[in-house]
Amino acid sequence: MLSLIRSSIRDLLPIFLVVAFFQFVILRQPIPNMDDLLIGAALVVFGLTFFTRGLEQGLFPIGESIAHAFARKGSLVWLLIFAFALGFGTTIAEPALIAIADEAAKVAAQTGAIESDAASMRNYSRGLRVTVAFSVGVAIVVGVFRILKGWPLHYLIIGGYIGVVLITIFAPPEIIGIAYDSGGVTTSTVTVPMVTALGVGLATSIRGRNPLTDGFGLIAFASLTPMIFVMIYGMFI
Amino acid sequence: MDLATALAHTLYATLHDVFPIVAVVIGFQVLVLRRPIRNAGKSLIGFVYVLIGLTLFLAGLERALFPLGKLMAYQLTSPNFLGGDPVSTEGLVRWQDYVWVYVFAAAIGFATTLAEPALIAVAVKAQSVSGGTVRVWGLRVAVALGVALGVALGTYRIVTGTPLHYYIIAGYVIVVIQTVFAPRSIIPLAYDSGGVTTSTVTVPLVAALGLGLASTVPGRNVLIDGFGLIAFASLFPIITVMAYAQLSEWWSGRHRPQADSKDNIN
């Protein structure tokens, strides 16, 4: 545990150095609320320590155990349904996505794409969240299917990039920034380890798959499809 | 807000976030797989550790880093700091006036990425799966450099007001070219590292920087120009991780000329 705490401190040290440098040397301001800073720093260190401990002991084994169980069961349909449920379920409640969807509703109201009253903005934002969650569900399904088939990832991803570029031409300019950002925010701190463990676990249980080349890549799909789906959403609403 | 209330609040929010995952996993476990998880008790304790850890981590960030980081982002972009009038006589924005903003963007992007728990998770997994050829620190530093580069370029874009998609499409072209030359085994990991960089620590600070910048640079629209930094931060790590693999392949090829360098990475 002590070495974990030490490595947490090492992980967090750069942030404190950067903040201290800019605060004292560039902005030349004192640190406000020194007590809060110290308490917060202690919490962050202990939090990261617990998280990395729990990662090895809880999240990775659970994700891998499920992957092995599905591989043994051999039911493709259930595996794909699970993949969709995991992608959709974890994204729909993601706080970063909720924040981005609300901002997008403001943009849409400002540019006159929708009425600027509260009800239609709420509808727009909810529709956007369902769209993104659906796209992440689809992404995990496609990603899991790819692992089973052993297709090379880069053809699919480069195909996705071409899709993004083509749709960018037709999408309303106001939605582009939000669409591009939505790709990065969909995968949260708990989802990433679970999904990674699922992919690596599947690639390990299926003969002929390499966990390094076939097991990774699920997150890549989950960050790509929301861009496409959000721009399409912006075009049609 | 006192400490206990803040912690209870964050715990509630974390439980709320984690609930769908737990529901999906337990639902499939009970209804479809009908097989007990191996070491269920130990895994459950591990899961509780994750919850406690995430709660403390977020509550700590909320108390220490976010207020200060956001304040600094606003101070660095304010006209006072920039030395009066950042608009030159022709009414054009001089991007040179914002040099400290780019430096801050790069430094904070680098530092927050190193502390990103999701990236730690992927790096740990990658090291164990690759048998040690992909090292935890090598990967994390490569990703952090990518985020630093991306966010710095992203702030430059906001200052100059150039369209986001030109940069992103140019980035895609670089990724595609690199994909041709990079060692095969690193490609999925590189693509994944784009998505994992931007979560709990990086997003709030980077978003504050973008919105602060877009609201103070004359002629920028917060809603249109304020977004896009996260897109930069998710794209550039793909480039730097592939570059890291290419460099380490080249390095090991140079030092062990007998070995077939393509197979070394596997």
Side-chain angles (χ1 to χ4, degrees), chain A residues 207-232:
Chain A
R207 212 179 326 157
R209 297 284 169 276
N210 175 338
L212 190 58
T213 45
D214 299 306
F216 289 93
L218 288 178
I219 311 283
F221 282 108
S223 342
L224 183 64
T225 51
M227 299 202 240
I228 297 175
F229 280 67
V230 169
M231 283 193 283
I232 293 176

mmCIF file with all atom_site columns, all heavy atoms in Angstrom, chain A residues 207-232:
data_model
loop_
_atom_site.group_PDB
_atom_site.id
_atom_site.type_symbol
_atom_site.label_atom_id
_atom_site.label_alt_id
_atom_site.label_comp_id
_atom_site.label_asym_id
_atom_site.label_entity_id
_atom_site.label_seq_id
_atom_site.pdbx_PDB_ins_code
_atom_site.Cartn_x
_atom_site.Cartn_y
_atom_site.Cartn_z
_atom_site.occupancy
_atom_site.B_iso_or_equiv
_atom_site.pdbx_formal_charge
_atom_site.auth_seq_id
_atom_site.auth_comp_id
_atom_site.auth_asym_id
_atom_site.auth_atom_id
_atom_site.pdbx_PDB_model_num
ATOM 1   N N   . ARG A 1 207 ? -9.152  -18.632 -29.602 1.00 0.00 ? 207 ARG A N   1
ATOM 2   C CA  . ARG A 1 207 ? -7.891  -19.100 -30.139 1.00 0.00 ? 207 ARG A CA  1
ATOM 3   C C   . ARG A 1 207 ? -7.549  -18.337 -31.421 1.00 0.00 ? 207 ARG A C   1
ATOM 4   O O   . ARG A 1 207 ? -8.422  -18.025 -32.224 1.00 0.00 ? 207 ARG A O   1
ATOM 5   C CB  . ARG A 1 207 ? -7.966  -20.597 -30.420 1.00 0.00 ? 207 ARG A CB  1
ATOM 6   C CG  . ARG A 1 207 ? -6.586  -21.209 -30.210 1.00 0.00 ? 207 ARG A CG  1
ATOM 7   C CD  . ARG A 1 207 ? -6.564  -22.687 -30.444 1.00 0.00 ? 207 ARG A CD  1
ATOM 8   N NE  . ARG A 1 207 ? -7.819  -23.337 -30.038 1.00 0.00 ? 207 ARG A NE  1
ATOM 9   C CZ  . ARG A 1 207 ? -8.192  -24.496 -30.548 1.00 0.00 ? 207 ARG A CZ  1
ATOM 10  N NH1 . ARG A 1 207 ? -7.461  -25.071 -31.477 1.00 0.00 ? 207 ARG A NH1 1
ATOM 11  N NH2 . ARG A 1 207 ? -9.304  -25.066 -30.140 1.00 0.00 ? 207 ARG A NH2 1
ATOM 12  N N   . GLY A 1 208 ? -6.275  -18.027 -31.596 1.00 0.00 ? 208 GLY A N   1
ATOM 13  C CA  . GLY A 1 208 ? -5.841  -17.336 -32.809 1.00 0.00 ? 208 GLY A CA  1
ATOM 14  C C   . GLY A 1 208 ? -5.906  -15.826 -32.713 1.00 0.00 ? 208 GLY A C   1
ATOM 15  O O   . GLY A 1 208 ? -5.572  -15.128 -33.665 1.00 0.00 ? 208 GLY A O   1
ATOM 16  N N   . ARG A 1 209 ? -6.379  -15.299 -31.544 1.00 0.00 ? 209 ARG A N   1
ATOM 17  C CA  . ARG A 1 209 ? -6.408  -13.842 -31.396 1.00 0.00 ? 209 ARG A CA  1
ATOM 18  C C   . ARG A 1 209 ? -5.283  -13.420 -30.465 1.00 0.00 ? 209 ARG A C   1
ATOM 19  O O   . ARG A 1 209 ? -5.038  -14.062 -29.452 1.00 0.00 ? 209 ARG A O   1
ATOM 20  C CB  . ARG A 1 209 ? -7.734  -13.376 -30.814 1.00 0.00 ? 209 ARG A CB  1
ATOM 21  C CG  . ARG A 1 209 ? -8.928  -13.662 -31.676 1.00 0.00 ? 209 ARG A CG  1
ATOM 22  C CD  . ARG A 1 209 ? -9.024  -12.715 -32.851 1.00 0.00 ? 209 ARG A CD  1
ATOM 23  N NE  . ARG A 1 209 ? -10.034 -13.205 -33.792 1.00 0.00 ? 209 ARG A NE  1
ATOM 24  C CZ  . ARG A 1 209 ? -9.788  -14.118 -34.731 1.00 0.00 ? 209 ARG A CZ  1
ATOM 25  N NH1 . ARG A 1 209 ? -8.569  -14.612 -34.881 1.00 0.00 ? 209 ARG A NH1 1
ATOM 26  N NH2 . ARG A 1 209 ? -10.740 -14.544 -35.508 1.00 0.00 ? 209 ARG A NH2 1
ATOM 27  N N   . ASN A 1 210 ? -4.660  -12.296 -30.821 1.00 0.00 ? 210 ASN A N   1
ATOM 28  C CA  . ASN A 1 210 ? -3.583  -11.751 -29.999 1.00 0.00 ? 210 ASN A CA  1
ATOM 29  C C   . ASN A 1 210 ? -4.162  -10.657 -29.121 1.00 0.00 ? 210 ASN A C   1
ATOM 30  O O   . ASN A 1 210 ? -4.763  -9.714  -29.640 1.00 0.00 ? 210 ASN A O   1
ATOM 31  C CB  . ASN A 1 210 ? -2.502  -11.210 -30.950 1.00 0.00 ? 210 ASN A CB  1
ATOM 32  C CG  . ASN A 1 210 ? -1.391  -10.508 -30.219 1.00 0.00 ? 210 ASN A CG  1
ATOM 33  O OD1 . ASN A 1 210 ? -1.554  -10.044 -29.095 1.00 0.00 ? 210 ASN A OD1 1
ATOM 34  N ND2 . ASN A 1 210 ? -0.244  -10.424 -30.861 1.00 0.00 ? 210 ASN A ND2 1
ATOM 35  N N   . PRO A 1 211 ? -4.008  -10.762 -27.779 1.00 0.00 ? 211 PRO A N   1
ATOM 36  C CA  . PRO A 1 211 ? -4.626  -9.746  -26.915 1.00 0.00 ? 211 PRO A CA  1
ATOM 37  C C   . PRO A 1 211 ? -4.158  -8.331  -27.215 1.00 0.00 ? 211 PRO A C   1
ATOM 38  O O   . PRO A 1 211 ? -4.925  -7.388  -27.042 1.00 0.00 ? 211 PRO A O   1
ATOM 39  C CB  . PRO A 1 211 ? -4.236  -10.180 -25.499 1.00 0.00 ? 211 PRO A CB  1
ATOM 40  C CG  . PRO A 1 211 ? -3.357  -11.350 -25.624 1.00 0.00 ? 211 PRO A CG  1
ATOM 41  C CD  . PRO A 1 211 ? -3.384  -11.841 -27.032 1.00 0.00 ? 211 PRO A CD  1
ATOM 42  N N   . LEU A 1 212 ? -2.920  -8.167  -27.676 1.00 0.00 ? 212 LEU A N   1
ATOM 43  C CA  . LEU A 1 212 ? -2.430  -6.807  -27.926 1.00 0.00 ? 212 LEU A CA  1
ATOM 44  C C   . LEU A 1 212 ? -3.008  -6.234  -29.215 1.00 0.00 ? 212 LEU A C   1
ATOM 45  O O   . LEU A 1 212 ? -3.494  -5.101  -29.240 1.00 0.00 ? 212 LEU A O   1
ATOM 46  C CB  . LEU A 1 212 ? -0.899  -6.802  -27.972 1.00 0.00 ? 212 LEU A CB  1
ATOM 47  C CG  . LEU A 1 212 ? -0.222  -5.437  -27.980 1.00 0.00 ? 212 LEU A CG  1
ATOM 48  C CD1 . LEU A 1 212 ? -0.605  -4.620  -26.760 1.00 0.00 ? 212 LEU A CD1 1
ATOM 49  C CD2 . LEU A 1 212 ? 1.290   -5.578  -28.029 1.00 0.00 ? 212 LEU A CD2 1
ATOM 50  N N   . THR A 1 213 ? -2.994  -7.016  -30.301 1.00 0.00 ? 213 THR A N   1
ATOM 51  C CA  . THR A 1 213 ? -3.487  -6.449  -31.565 1.00 0.00 ? 213 THR A CA  1
ATOM 52  C C   . THR A 1 213 ? -5.005  -6.542  -31.692 1.00 0.00 ? 213 THR A C   1
ATOM 53  O O   . THR A 1 213 ? -5.618  -5.722  -32.362 1.00 0.00 ? 213 THR A O   1
ATOM 54  C CB  . THR A 1 213 ? -2.870  -7.164  -32.783 1.00 0.00 ? 213 THR A CB  1
ATOM 55  O OG1 . THR A 1 213 ? -2.926  -8.558  -32.552 1.00 0.00 ? 213 THR A OG1 1
ATOM 56  C CG2 . THR A 1 213 ? -1.450  -6.742  -33.008 1.00 0.00 ? 213 THR A CG2 1
ATOM 57  N N   . ASP A 1 214 ? -5.627  -7.568  -31.064 1.00 0.00 ? 214 ASP A N   1
ATOM 58  C CA  . ASP A 1 214 ? -7.068  -7.721  -31.224 1.00 0.00 ? 214 ASP A CA  1
ATOM 59  C C   . ASP A 1 214 ? -7.852  -7.235  -30.010 1.00 0.00 ? 214 ASP A C   1
ATOM 60  O O   . ASP A 1 214 ? -9.002  -6.837  -30.144 1.00 0.00 ? 214 ASP A O   1
ATOM 61  C CB  . ASP A 1 214 ? -7.411  -9.192  -31.483 1.00 0.00 ? 214 ASP A CB  1
ATOM 62  C CG  . ASP A 1 214 ? -6.756  -9.710  -32.745 1.00 0.00 ? 214 ASP A CG  1
ATOM 63  O OD1 . ASP A 1 214 ? -6.949  -9.067  -33.787 1.00 0.00 ? 214 ASP A OD1 1
ATOM 64  O OD2 . ASP A 1 214 ? -6.036  -10.727 -32.693 1.00 0.00 ? 214 ASP A OD2 1
ATOM 65  N N   . GLY A 1 215 ? -7.227  -7.276  -28.834 1.00 0.00 ? 215 GLY A N   1
ATOM 66  C CA  . GLY A 1 215 ? -7.960  -6.951  -27.616 1.00 0.00 ? 215 GLY A CA  1
ATOM 67  C C   . GLY A 1 215 ? -8.225  -5.467  -27.448 1.00 0.00 ? 215 GLY A C   1
ATOM 68  O O   . GLY A 1 215 ? -9.266  -5.068  -26.940 1.00 0.00 ? 215 GLY A O   1
ATOM 69  N N   . PHE A 1 216 ? -7.308  -4.622  -27.874 1.00 0.00 ? 216 PHE A N   1
ATOM 70  C CA  . PHE A 1 216 ? -7.539  -3.184  -27.768 1.00 0.00 ? 216 PHE A CA  1
ATOM 71  C C   . PHE A 1 216 ? -8.335  -2.699  -28.977 1.00 0.00 ? 216 PHE A C   1
ATOM 72  O O   . PHE A 1 216 ? -8.468  -3.413  -29.960 1.00 0.00 ? 216 PHE A O   1
ATOM 73  C CB  . PHE A 1 216 ? -6.201  -2.444  -27.666 1.00 0.00 ? 216 PHE A CB  1
ATOM 74  C CG  . PHE A 1 216 ? -5.515  -2.654  -26.344 1.00 0.00 ? 216 PHE A CG  1
ATOM 75  C CD1 . PHE A 1 216 ? -4.588  -3.656  -26.173 1.00 0.00 ? 216 PHE A CD1 1
ATOM 76  C CD2 . PHE A 1 216 ? -5.843  -1.860  -25.258 1.00 0.00 ? 216 PHE A CD2 1
ATOM 77  C CE1 . PHE A 1 216 ? -3.973  -3.871  -24.955 1.00 0.00 ? 216 PHE A CE1 1
ATOM 78  C CE2 . PHE A 1 216 ? -5.239  -2.064  -24.036 1.00 0.00 ? 216 PHE A CE2 1
ATOM 79  C CZ  . PHE A 1 216 ? -4.302  -3.069  -23.878 1.00 0.00 ? 216 PHE A CZ  1
ATOM 80  N N   . GLY A 1 217 ? -8.850  -1.499  -28.893 1.00 0.00 ? 217 GLY A N   1
ATOM 81  C CA  . GLY A 1 217 ? -9.572  -0.944  -30.037 1.00 0.00 ? 217 GLY A CA  1
ATOM 82  C C   . GLY A 1 217 ? -11.032 -0.618  -29.753 1.00 0.00 ? 217 GLY A C   1
ATOM 83  O O   . GLY A 1 217 ? -11.646 0.136   -30.498 1.00 0.00 ? 217 GLY A O   1
ATOM 84  N N   . LEU A 1 218 ? -11.603 -1.178  -28.669 1.00 0.00 ? 218 LEU A N   1
ATOM 85  C CA  . LEU A 1 218 ? -13.012 -0.884  -28.376 1.00 0.00 ? 218 LEU A CA  1
ATOM 86  C C   . LEU A 1 218 ? -13.208 0.593   -28.062 1.00 0.00 ? 218 LEU A C   1
ATOM 87  O O   . LEU A 1 218 ? -14.175 1.216   -28.512 1.00 0.00 ? 218 LEU A O   1
ATOM 88  C CB  . LEU A 1 218 ? -13.496 -1.731  -27.195 1.00 0.00 ? 218 LEU A CB  1
ATOM 89  C CG  . LEU A 1 218 ? -13.689 -3.224  -27.471 1.00 0.00 ? 218 LEU A CG  1
ATOM 90  C CD1 . LEU A 1 218 ? -14.114 -3.942  -26.204 1.00 0.00 ? 218 LEU A CD1 1
ATOM 91  C CD2 . LEU A 1 218 ? -14.741 -3.423  -28.549 1.00 0.00 ? 218 LEU A CD2 1
ATOM 92  N N   . ILE A 1 219 ? -12.292 1.174   -27.291 1.00 0.00 ? 219 ILE A N   1
ATOM 93  C CA  . ILE A 1 219 ? -12.402 2.585   -26.933 1.00 0.00 ? 219 ILE A CA  1
ATOM 94  C C   . ILE A 1 219 ? -12.312 3.462   -28.183 1.00 0.00 ? 219 ILE A C   1
ATOM 95  O O   . ILE A 1 219 ? -12.986 4.486   -28.295 1.00 0.00 ? 219 ILE A O   1
ATOM 96  C CB  . ILE A 1 219 ? -11.280 2.998   -25.955 1.00 0.00 ? 219 ILE A CB  1
ATOM 97  C CG1 . ILE A 1 219 ? -11.174 2.027   -24.791 1.00 0.00 ? 219 ILE A CG1 1
ATOM 98  C CG2 . ILE A 1 219 ? -11.460 4.413   -25.468 1.00 0.00 ? 219 ILE A CG2 1
ATOM 99  C CD1 . ILE A 1 219 ? -12.204 2.176   -23.757 1.00 0.00 ? 219 ILE A CD1 1
ATOM 100 N N   . ALA A 1 220 ? -11.465 3.029   -29.132 1.00 0.00 ? 220 ALA A N   1
ATOM 101 C CA  . ALA A 1 220 ? -11.299 3.800   -30.359 1.00 0.00 ? 220 ALA A CA  1
ATOM 102 C C   . ALA A 1 220 ? -12.634 3.911   -31.100 1.00 0.00 ? 220 ALA A C   1
ATOM 103 O O   . ALA A 1 220 ? -13.008 5.000   -31.564 1.00 0.00 ? 220 ALA A O   1
ATOM 104 C CB  . ALA A 1 220 ? -10.245 3.151   -31.252 1.00 0.00 ? 220 ALA A CB  1
ATOM 105 N N   . PHE A 1 221 ? -13.371 2.806   -31.185 1.00 0.00 ? 221 PHE A N   1
ATOM 106 C CA  . PHE A 1 221 ? -14.689 2.871   -31.818 1.00 0.00 ? 221 PHE A CA  1
ATOM 107 C C   . PHE A 1 221 ? -15.624 3.780   -31.041 1.00 0.00 ? 221 PHE A C   1
ATOM 108 O O   . PHE A 1 221 ? -16.367 4.565   -31.621 1.00 0.00 ? 221 PHE A O   1
ATOM 109 C CB  . PHE A 1 221 ? -15.317 1.475   -31.887 1.00 0.00 ? 221 PHE A CB  1
ATOM 110 C CG  . PHE A 1 221 ? -14.780 0.627   -32.986 1.00 0.00 ? 221 PHE A CG  1
ATOM 111 C CD1 . PHE A 1 221 ? -13.951 -0.439  -32.712 1.00 0.00 ? 221 PHE A CD1 1
ATOM 112 C CD2 . PHE A 1 221 ? -15.097 0.902   -34.299 1.00 0.00 ? 221 PHE A CD2 1
ATOM 113 C CE1 . PHE A 1 221 ? -13.446 -1.228  -33.729 1.00 0.00 ? 221 PHE A CE1 1
ATOM 114 C CE2 . PHE A 1 221 ? -14.602 0.129   -35.320 1.00 0.00 ? 221 PHE A CE2 1
ATOM 115 C CZ  . PHE A 1 221 ? -13.768 -0.945  -35.036 1.00 0.00 ? 221 PHE A CZ  1
ATOM 116 N N   . ALA A 1 222 ? -15.571 3.650   -29.706 1.00 0.00 ? 222 ALA A N   1
ATOM 117 C CA  . ALA A 1 222 ? -16.481 4.428   -28.867 1.00 0.00 ? 222 ALA A CA  1
ATOM 118 C C   . ALA A 1 222 ? -16.182 5.917   -28.949 1.00 0.00 ? 222 ALA A C   1
ATOM 119 O O   . ALA A 1 222 ? -17.045 6.738   -28.638 1.00 0.00 ? 222 ALA A O   1
ATOM 120 C CB  . ALA A 1 222 ? -16.409 3.960   -27.417 1.00 0.00 ? 222 ALA A CB  1
ATOM 121 N N   . SER A 1 223 ? -14.961 6.306   -29.354 1.00 0.00 ? 223 SER A N   1
ATOM 122 C CA  . SER A 1 223 ? -14.684 7.738   -29.492 1.00 0.00 ? 223 SER A CA  1
ATOM 123 C C   . SER A 1 223 ? -14.951 8.231   -30.909 1.00 0.00 ? 223 SER A C   1
ATOM 124 O O   . SER A 1 223 ? -14.986 9.426   -31.141 1.00 0.00 ? 223 SER A O   1
ATOM 125 C CB  . SER A 1 223 ? -13.246 8.088   -29.132 1.00 0.00 ? 223 SER A CB  1
ATOM 126 O OG  . SER A 1 223 ? -12.629 7.116   -28.388 1.00 0.00 ? 223 SER A OG  1
ATOM 127 N N   . LEU A 1 224 ? -15.126 7.314   -31.846 1.00 0.00 ? 224 LEU A N   1
ATOM 128 C CA  . LEU A 1 224 ? -15.301 7.732   -33.237 1.00 0.00 ? 224 LEU A CA  1
ATOM 129 C C   . LEU A 1 224 ? -16.773 7.880   -33.624 1.00 0.00 ? 224 LEU A C   1
ATOM 130 O O   . LEU A 1 224 ? -17.172 8.903   -34.204 1.00 0.00 ? 224 LEU A O   1
ATOM 131 C CB  . LEU A 1 224 ? -14.611 6.709   -34.153 1.00 0.00 ? 224 LEU A CB  1
ATOM 132 C CG  . LEU A 1 224 ? -14.626 7.009   -35.640 1.00 0.00 ? 224 LEU A CG  1
ATOM 133 C CD1 . LEU A 1 224 ? -13.841 8.273   -35.928 1.00 0.00 ? 224 LEU A CD1 1
ATOM 134 C CD2 . LEU A 1 224 ? -14.031 5.847   -36.412 1.00 0.00 ? 224 LEU A CD2 1
ATOM 135 N N   . THR A 1 225 ? -17.586 6.869   -33.297 1.00 0.00 ? 225 THR A N   1
ATOM 136 C CA  . THR A 1 225 ? -18.979 6.900   -33.758 1.00 0.00 ? 225 THR A CA  1
ATOM 137 C C   . THR A 1 225 ? -19.788 8.093   -33.245 1.00 0.00 ? 225 THR A C   1
ATOM 138 O O   . THR A 1 225 ? -20.614 8.604   -33.990 1.00 0.00 ? 225 THR A O   1
ATOM 139 C CB  . THR A 1 225 ? -19.719 5.594   -33.400 1.00 0.00 ? 225 THR A CB  1
ATOM 140 O OG1 . THR A 1 225 ? -19.525 5.339   -32.009 1.00 0.00 ? 225 THR A OG1 1
ATOM 141 C CG2 . THR A 1 225 ? -19.205 4.433   -34.210 1.00 0.00 ? 225 THR A CG2 1
ATOM 142 N N   . PRO A 1 226 ? -19.564 8.574   -31.972 1.00 0.00 ? 226 PRO A N   1
ATOM 143 C CA  . PRO A 1 226 ? -20.379 9.721   -31.558 1.00 0.00 ? 226 PRO A CA  1
ATOM 144 C C   . PRO A 1 226 ? -20.202 10.939  -32.466 1.00 0.00 ? 226 PRO A C   1
ATOM 145 O O   . PRO A 1 226 ? -21.168 11.660  -32.717 1.00 0.00 ? 226 PRO A O   1
ATOM 146 C CB  . PRO A 1 226 ? -19.874 10.018  -30.140 1.00 0.00 ? 226 PRO A CB  1
ATOM 147 C CG  . PRO A 1 226 ? -19.359 8.739   -29.651 1.00 0.00 ? 226 PRO A CG  1
ATOM 148 C CD  . PRO A 1 226 ? -18.764 8.071   -30.855 1.00 0.00 ? 226 PRO A CD  1
ATOM 149 N N   . MET A 1 227 ? -18.979 11.146  -32.994 1.00 0.00 ? 227 MET A N   1
ATOM 150 C CA  . MET A 1 227 ? -18.772 12.302  -33.877 1.00 0.00 ? 227 MET A CA  1
ATOM 151 C C   . MET A 1 227 ? -19.713 12.229  -35.074 1.00 0.00 ? 227 MET A C   1
ATOM 152 O O   . MET A 1 227 ? -20.359 13.202  -35.448 1.00 0.00 ? 227 MET A O   1
ATOM 153 C CB  . MET A 1 227 ? -17.333 12.321  -34.385 1.00 0.00 ? 227 MET A CB  1
ATOM 154 C CG  . MET A 1 227 ? -16.297 12.443  -33.333 1.00 0.00 ? 227 MET A CG  1
ATOM 155 S SD  . MET A 1 227 ? -14.816 13.085  -34.079 1.00 0.00 ? 227 MET A SD  1
ATOM 156 C CE  . MET A 1 227 ? -13.664 11.861  -33.784 1.00 0.00 ? 227 MET A CE  1
ATOM 157 N N   . ILE A 1 228 ? -19.772 11.035  -35.675 1.00 0.00 ? 228 ILE A N   1
ATOM 158 C CA  . ILE A 1 228 ? -20.605 10.861  -36.867 1.00 0.00 ? 228 ILE A CA  1
ATOM 159 C C   . ILE A 1 228 ? -22.077 11.041  -36.515 1.00 0.00 ? 228 ILE A C   1
ATOM 160 O O   . ILE A 1 228 ? -22.797 11.804  -37.158 1.00 0.00 ? 228 ILE A O   1
ATOM 161 C CB  . ILE A 1 228 ? -20.350 9.463   -37.474 1.00 0.00 ? 228 ILE A CB  1
ATOM 162 C CG1 . ILE A 1 228 ? -18.885 9.359   -37.918 1.00 0.00 ? 228 ILE A CG1 1
ATOM 163 C CG2 . ILE A 1 228 ? -21.298 9.191   -38.621 1.00 0.00 ? 228 ILE A CG2 1
ATOM 164 C CD1 . ILE A 1 228 ? -18.487 7.993   -38.410 1.00 0.00 ? 228 ILE A CD1 1
ATOM 165 N N   . PHE A 1 229 ? -22.511 10.362  -35.439 1.00 0.00 ? 229 PHE A N   1
ATOM 166 C CA  . PHE A 1 229 ? -23.933 10.387  -35.097 1.00 0.00 ? 229 PHE A CA  1
ATOM 167 C C   . PHE A 1 229 ? -24.377 11.779  -34.662 1.00 0.00 ? 229 PHE A C   1
ATOM 168 O O   . PHE A 1 229 ? -25.495 12.196  -34.974 1.00 0.00 ? 229 PHE A O   1
ATOM 169 C CB  . PHE A 1 229 ? -24.235 9.354   -34.002 1.00 0.00 ? 229 PHE A CB  1
ATOM 170 C CG  . PHE A 1 229 ? -24.376 7.944   -34.518 1.00 0.00 ? 229 PHE A CG  1
ATOM 171 C CD1 . PHE A 1 229 ? -23.289 7.269   -35.044 1.00 0.00 ? 229 PHE A CD1 1
ATOM 172 C CD2 . PHE A 1 229 ? -25.598 7.300   -34.479 1.00 0.00 ? 229 PHE A CD2 1
ATOM 173 C CE1 . PHE A 1 229 ? -23.411 5.969   -35.518 1.00 0.00 ? 229 PHE A CE1 1
ATOM 174 C CE2 . PHE A 1 229 ? -25.734 5.990   -34.945 1.00 0.00 ? 229 PHE A CE2 1
ATOM 175 C CZ  . PHE A 1 229 ? -24.644 5.337   -35.470 1.00 0.00 ? 229 PHE A CZ  1
ATOM 176 N N   . VAL A 1 230 ? -23.522 12.516  -33.941 1.00 0.00 ? 230 VAL A N   1
ATOM 177 C CA  . VAL A 1 230 ? -23.922 13.850  -33.483 1.00 0.00 ? 230 VAL A CA  1
ATOM 178 C C   . VAL A 1 230 ? -24.056 14.800  -34.672 1.00 0.00 ? 230 VAL A C   1
ATOM 179 O O   . VAL A 1 230 ? -24.987 15.607  -34.735 1.00 0.00 ? 230 VAL A O   1
ATOM 180 C CB  . VAL A 1 230 ? -22.927 14.399  -32.439 1.00 0.00 ? 230 VAL A CB  1
ATOM 181 C CG1 . VAL A 1 230 ? -23.173 15.872  -32.166 1.00 0.00 ? 230 VAL A CG1 1
ATOM 182 C CG2 . VAL A 1 230 ? -23.044 13.616  -31.146 1.00 0.00 ? 230 VAL A CG2 1
ATOM 183 N N   . MET A 1 231 ? -23.153 14.696  -35.645 1.00 0.00 ? 231 MET A N   1
ATOM 184 C CA  . MET A 1 231 ? -23.282 15.570  -36.821 1.00 0.00 ? 231 MET A CA  1
ATOM 185 C C   . MET A 1 231 ? -24.541 15.238  -37.607 1.00 0.00 ? 231 MET A C   1
ATOM 186 O O   . MET A 1 231 ? -25.241 16.135  -38.093 1.00 0.00 ? 231 MET A O   1
ATOM 187 C CB  . MET A 1 231 ? -22.031 15.456  -37.696 1.00 0.00 ? 231 MET A CB  1
ATOM 188 C CG  . MET A 1 231 ? -20.859 16.239  -37.127 1.00 0.00 ? 231 MET A CG  1
ATOM 189 S SD  . MET A 1 231 ? -19.509 16.447  -38.271 1.00 0.00 ? 231 MET A SD  1
ATOM 190 C CE  . MET A 1 231 ? -18.745 14.838  -38.213 1.00 0.00 ? 231 MET A CE  1
ATOM 191 N N   . ILE A 1 232 ? -24.850 13.945  -37.736 1.00 0.00 ? 232 ILE A N   1
ATOM 192 C CA  . ILE A 1 232 ? -26.080 13.561  -38.435 1.00 0.00 ? 232 ILE A CA  1
ATOM 193 C C   . ILE A 1 232 ? -27.294 14.107  -37.675 1.00 0.00 ? 232 ILE A C   1
ATOM 194 O O   . ILE A 1 232 ? -28.221 14.664  -38.270 1.00 0.00 ? 232 ILE A O   1
ATOM 195 C CB  . ILE A 1 232 ? -26.171 12.022  -38.575 1.00 0.00 ? 232 ILE A CB  1
ATOM 196 C CG1 . ILE A 1 232 ? -25.070 11.536  -39.514 1.00 0.00 ? 232 ILE A CG1 1
ATOM 197 C CG2 . ILE A 1 232 ? -27.535 11.613  -39.104 1.00 0.00 ? 232 ILE A CG2 1
ATOM 198 C CD1 . ILE A 1 232 ? -24.990 10.030  -39.657 1.00 0.00 ? 232 ILE A CD1 1
#
